[in-house]
Amino acid sequence: MANCPSGGVVLAGSHSASSALHAVLAETEAAFPSALLDAGLPENHEVFRRTYPEVLPRYEAARLASTRRADIARYLAGALRKVVVWRGSAGELPLHDALEVTASALPLQMHAFAGAPGWRPSVVYRGKKWESQRLASLASLLVERCVATPAAGEALTWVSEELLCDGAVTLSGRKIAVLGAAAEMAPTRLWLEAGADVLWLDAQPPPRSWRDSPGMSGRLFWPAGSVDLLAQPREVLATLRAFASDRPLDVGLYAYAPGHARELRLTAAMNALVDALPPELVGSVTLLVSPTTPTAMSFEDRRAMQMRLEARPGWEAMGARLGAMGKGHGVVVSGDAAASRTVVGIQGASYQAAQYIGKVMAAESWAGMAVEGCPRVSANTAAITRTRSLAHPVFAAAFGGAAALGVETLEPRQSRSINGLLTLHDWLHPEPPVPGNVRVHGRIHTLPYPLESALRVAATIGFARSPWLLAGLIRR
């Protein structure tokens, strides 16, 4: 079951991931009934479980249209704390209360790399290698192709023109704690190349091969044993405090694991750790948002979507007339606001709860806190990336057919480099970032159809091109 380990971070009571998500949305709707009147949230959980890919975009569109948008985000983030708790021998406790119990920091090992600090970024895109001096040109191309938002292009250009010194960036003396440091999307190695002090927190140890790499710099710290964020949040909190000492940390939230509602539980645990740290020790919080969660669509996004619709090929228009592309447009509109219809049911309710509530709402809440010394929040949207977590025959087939619909997918190395550069912008630009503006979505956000329907079409094309993938589907 999803929440029956002997102790640790679990879903409260008998909640499943979908019932937990439903409870959070329903409680918030009851607190803001007029603002969320058009959300269309089903009262019955079973109905919600079947229909949440359509419900969540409606809910987000209603929130975005409300004058109390920020209040609703804070309420949603707070309601999540009630459904993800600590369960121990004394029963269930709110995570915040559980983290007040003092624990010992995990003993750390340290390796100091001998290389000179300086990450020299480069990105391979469309068969070309875009090195430091050409990053601004890459930014223009990504925006021109509607793969990234104009804000993302501006951020990459700023890094290229204002931050790089002789083609390199140096982070010497900066302290970065990476939760989920081994994740394929985590730019952990890049921070070490730049010369930072990096705390590695993951169930896996750092690769031994790194220690002999001549391109590595900075210092790497890691616990002697594996780290389980769900079983050891108190020890992780103590370790973060000890590593920070009296200096602020850049805290990267990259931990991810599918199944048993771990996406939701891990995200809630990481958020609780950020909230439990003294504010003066949190310089920034960094996380990546999936393009398949409901996202605020700007006027420019909607115009690009309409242009894409008008320029679609004949076979696609015929498929749309036959109903293959689903019902309606690629967005839900509420007043002057719109949210993307990009939820994919196959990813599961735990994934969406983690992304929508645990990331988007939490990031908006952190960034909007009107208190002096509020940490910077880097919450950028990453493109669909071919990570191990998407090792499913349907996704493999959809990757193969995505190009037919104009959607671009990236390899992990591409995403790490691009999002690492965007994170540098968010940490170091004079103006604090606005969560949701910087998106490298690979054209997911300009697709004029509901993504779930388009995914089926892309998968059908992919299976036709690579029929051997059907064997993997049958084995499941």
Side-chain angles (χ1 to χ4, degrees):
M1 293 178 64
N3 56 345
C4 291
S6 58
V9 179
V10 301
L11 300 185
S14 58
H15 269 306
S16 66
S18 62
S19 69
L21 175 58
H22 185 242
V24 168
L25 297 175
E27 179 184 333
T28 307
E29 183 186 51
F32 300 89
S34 59
L36 298 173
L37 183 64
D38 296 332
L41 180 69
E43 293 184 7
N44 182 275
H45 163 244
E46 286 303 317
V47 175
F48 172 77
R49 184 176 62 82
R50 295 192 302 270
T51 61
Y52 73 86
E54 289 299 318
V55 172
L56 286 179
R58 288 201 308 266
Y59 198 101
E60 176 62 355
R63 185 190 76 88
L64 292 170
S66 172
T67 58
R68 303 193 66 186
R69 164 183 172 168
D71 294 331
I72 297 171
R74 283 190 289 272
Y75 197 97
L76 283 164
L80 182 64
R81 300 185 189 109
K82 300 178 183 178
V83 297
V84 184
V85 299
W86 172 266
R87 180 183 295 154
S89 57
E92 293 182 357
L93 282 175
L95 271 177
H96 175 78
D97 293 347
L99 289 173
E100 290 183 349
V101 177
T102 303
S104 298
L106 299 168
L108 299 179
Q109 302 182 60
M110 188 274 285
H111 180 80
F113 294 96
W119 170 35
R120 296 186 174 276
S122 65
V123 180
V124 176
Y125 178 68
R126 296 184 63 79
K128 296 181 181 180
K129 188 174 184 179
W130 305 78
E131 296 182 314
S132 302
Q133 65 274 18
R134 301 184 63 208
L135 288 177
S137 298
L138 172 62
S140 296
L141 180 61
L142 292 174
V143 175
E144 179 185 327
R145 292 179 57 79
C146 291
V147 170
T149 59
E154 292 167 7
L156 281 174
T157 300
W158 182 84
V159 170
S160 174
E161 296 178 350
E162 303 293 336
L163 191 59
L164 299 183
C165 180
D166 294 327
V169 61
T170 300
L171 297 175
S172 298
R174 203 169 185 104
K175 287 189 172 184
I176 307 173
V178 189
L179 282 67
E184 289 181 272
M185 298 289 278
T188 314
R189 178 177 179 130
L190 306 181
W191 304 150
L192 286 166
E193 291 180 11
D197 284 352
V198 175
L199 173 61
W200 173 291
L201 294 168
D202 200 281
Q204 303 178 40
R208 292 190 62 85
S209 60
W210 284 13
R211 303 181 201 179
D212 301 320
S213 175
M216 306 289 275
S217 181
R219 296 186 298 174
L220 176 62
F221 299 79
W222 72 98
S226 63
V227 177
D228 187 341
L229 289 173
L230 299 178
Q232 301 170 286
R234 295 161 174 161
E235 291 80 2
V236 170
L237 177 60
T239 305
L240 290 169
R241 285 175 175 264
F243 178 69
S245 184
D246 58 351
R247 292 166 54 193
L249 296 174
D250 296 303
V251 184
L253 310 181
Y254 295 96
Y256 174 86
H260 304 291
R262 279 178 294 206
E263 302 102 326
L264 176 56
R265 293 188 289 137
L266 280 168
T267 299
M270 292 189 292
N271 292 356
L273 289 167
V274 171
D275 290 336
L277 282 168
E280 65 272 15
L281 294 186
V282 184
S284 71
V285 182
T286 298
L287 53 95
L288 292 176
V289 176
S290 169
T292 62
T293 204
T295 302
M297 294 286 98
S298 67
F299 173 78
E300 289 75 16
D301 293 322
R302 294 163 66 182
R303 182 173 59 184
M305 189 176 290
Q306 184 61 35
M307 292 173 62
R308 166 71 175 79
L309 185 67
E310 293 170 356
R312 64 185 174 181
W315 71 266
E316 191 178 299
M318 177 64 72
R321 285 194 291 271
L322 294 174
M325 298 299 181
K327 296 180 180 180
H329 207 46
V331 295
V332 174
V333 178
S334 180
D336 293 330
S340 66
R341 294 178 68 189
T342 46
V343 178
V344 178
I346 195 174
Q347 291 181 300
S350 174
Y351 182 88
Q352 278 303 326
Q355 291 290 326
Y356 180 57
I357 310 293
K359 291 189 176 183
V360 177
M361 297 302 108
E364 192 166 322
S365 300
W366 284 326
M369 289 187 298
V371 293
E372 187 176 350
C374 176
R376 288 191 170 219
V377 181
S378 177
N380 300 329
T381 297
I384 296 292
T385 305
R386 301 175 187 180
T387 61
R388 290 186 296 270
S389 65
L390 295 181
H392 187 287
V394 171
F395 284 125
F399 286 146
L405 292 173
V407 172
E408 295 191 12
T409 58
L410 300 184
E411 297 294 336
R413 184 172 181 178
Q414 292 173 303
S415 280
R416 282 195 300 272
S417 295
I418 292 173
N419 289 300
L421 290 164
L422 294 173
T423 299
L424 291 178
H425 167 271
D426 294 348
W427 288 353
L428 301 171
H429 193 274
E431 296 295 324
V434 177
N437 280 4
V438 172
R439 289 177 275 125
V440 184
H441 52 76
R443 296 184 183 163
I444 291 288
H445 290 167
T446 56
L447 198 64
Y449 316 107
L451 182 58
E452 185 142 57
S453 302
L455 177 70
R456 287 194 291 268
V457 174
T460 300
I461 295 170
F463 281 127
R465 291 176 175 175
S466 305
W468 58 269
L469 289 170
L470 287 168
L473 188 63
I474 293 169
R475 283 196 295 269
R476 286 177 173 261

